[in-house]
């Protein structure tokens, strides 16, 4: 809660933060993707349904390749949405404020990426005994739940940030009086 009370309003810094967290999303998935590519992830435990393993592998590889652009696109869309909602409520949500808040909230994408790998591992163990026909219905449901979890963490942080920064001012440089020179 306190981060958004002392956040510096700077769109460039917000974009850099969002990009750094987006890269971390891809990095979180990289070790598991490398294990899949190297063939080091066994088909166990106890007759793991091939469709589960394939789904986990494909989504992990997709997050390594598409994670950064996807997270940046979603973060940019969030800045547009935050500005739209702010304008309807009479809040002073400028582009700089929106990017600053969303950049700080992008840590939610990273936390969600960690959560995804843990849930996939637990899901693999939980669904190991299901047949392929059952998995055709279970995997899409799991994917939707994971997407909602991702959005919930990020959106919660954005909501807190926008509520705290809804009347924030962008820092402006202090002009020096004409004729005054700075000492060298």
């Amino acid at each position: 809660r306190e981060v958004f009370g002392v956040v510096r309003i700077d769109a460039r810094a917000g974009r850099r933060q969002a990009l750094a967290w987006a890269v971390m999303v891809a990095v979180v998935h990289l070790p598991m993707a490398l294990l899949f590519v190297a063939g080091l992830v066994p088909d166990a435990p106890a007759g793991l349904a091939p469709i589960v393993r394939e789904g986990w592998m494909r989504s992990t590889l997709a997050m390594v390749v598409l994670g950064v652009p996807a997270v940046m696109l979603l973060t940019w869309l969030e800045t547009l949405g935050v500005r739209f909602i702010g304008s309807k409520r009479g809040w002073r949500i400028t582009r700089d404020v929106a990017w600053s808040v969303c950049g700080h909230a992008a840590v939610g994408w990273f936390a969600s990426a960690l959560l995804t790998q843990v849930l996939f591992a637990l899901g693999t163990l939980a669904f190991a005994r299901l047949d392929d026909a059952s998995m055709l219905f279970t995997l899409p449901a799991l994917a939707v739940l994971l997407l909602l979890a991702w959005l919930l963490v990020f959106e919660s942080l954005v909501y807190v940030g926008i509520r705290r920064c809804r009347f924030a001012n962008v820092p402006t440089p202090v002009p020096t009086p004409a004729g005054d020179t700075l000492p060298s």
Side-chain angles (χ1 to χ4, degrees):
R1 287 184 51 203
E2 294 304 315
V3 168
F4 293 112
V6 295
V7 66
R8 180 171 178 235
I9 305 301
D10 181 4
R12 285 180 298 183
R15 280 190 213 95
R16 283 192 304 267
Q17 282 180 309
L19 180 61
W21 287 117
V23 169
M24 290 305 297
V25 165
V27 168
V28 163
H29 293 289
L30 187 60
M32 188 55 68
L34 292 174
L35 290 175
F36 275 122
V37 169
L40 298 175
V41 177
D43 288 338
L48 176 63
I51 195 168
V52 175
R53 185 176 184 281
E54 287 297 315
W56 187 9
M57 179 178 72
R58 288 181 185 184
S59 63
T60 299
L61 291 172
M63 283 312 300
V64 169
V65 175
L66 301 174
V68 173
V71 167
M72 288 306 291
L73 175 66
L74 290 171
T75 304
W76 174 71
L77 289 172
E78 185 68 17
T79 65
L80 296 178
V82 159
R83 291 186 66 200
F84 176 77
I85 291 170
S87 70
K88 295 297 179 196
R89 294 185 178 196
W91 297 346
R92 195 171 38 227
I93 307 296
T94 64
R95 180 180 51 89
D96 292 342
V97 171
W99 269 108
S100 296
V101 169
C102 290
H104 279 80
V107 69
W109 295 124
F110 176 69
S112 299
L114 288 174
L115 177 66
T116 299
Q117 283 299 321
V118 169
L119 287 177
F120 263 128
L122 293 175
T124 298
L125 295 173
F127 301 134
R129 302 209 190 286
L130 294 178
D131 59 358
D132 286 348
S134 299
M135 293 313 298
L136 288 175
F137 299 104
T138 307
L139 281 179
L142 181 62
V144 168
L145 287 175
L146 288 174
L147 179 61
L148 290 176
W150 275 55
L151 289 173
L152 182 64
V153 174
F154 175 69
E155 291 291 336
S156 297
L157 291 171
V158 169
Y159 175 77
V160 169
I162 289 301
R163 295 284 300 168
R164 293 294 306 266
C165 297
R166 64 183 174 232
F167 299 116
N169 291 314
V170 177
T172 56
V174 179
T176 58
D180 285 352
T181 59
L182 298 174
S184 44

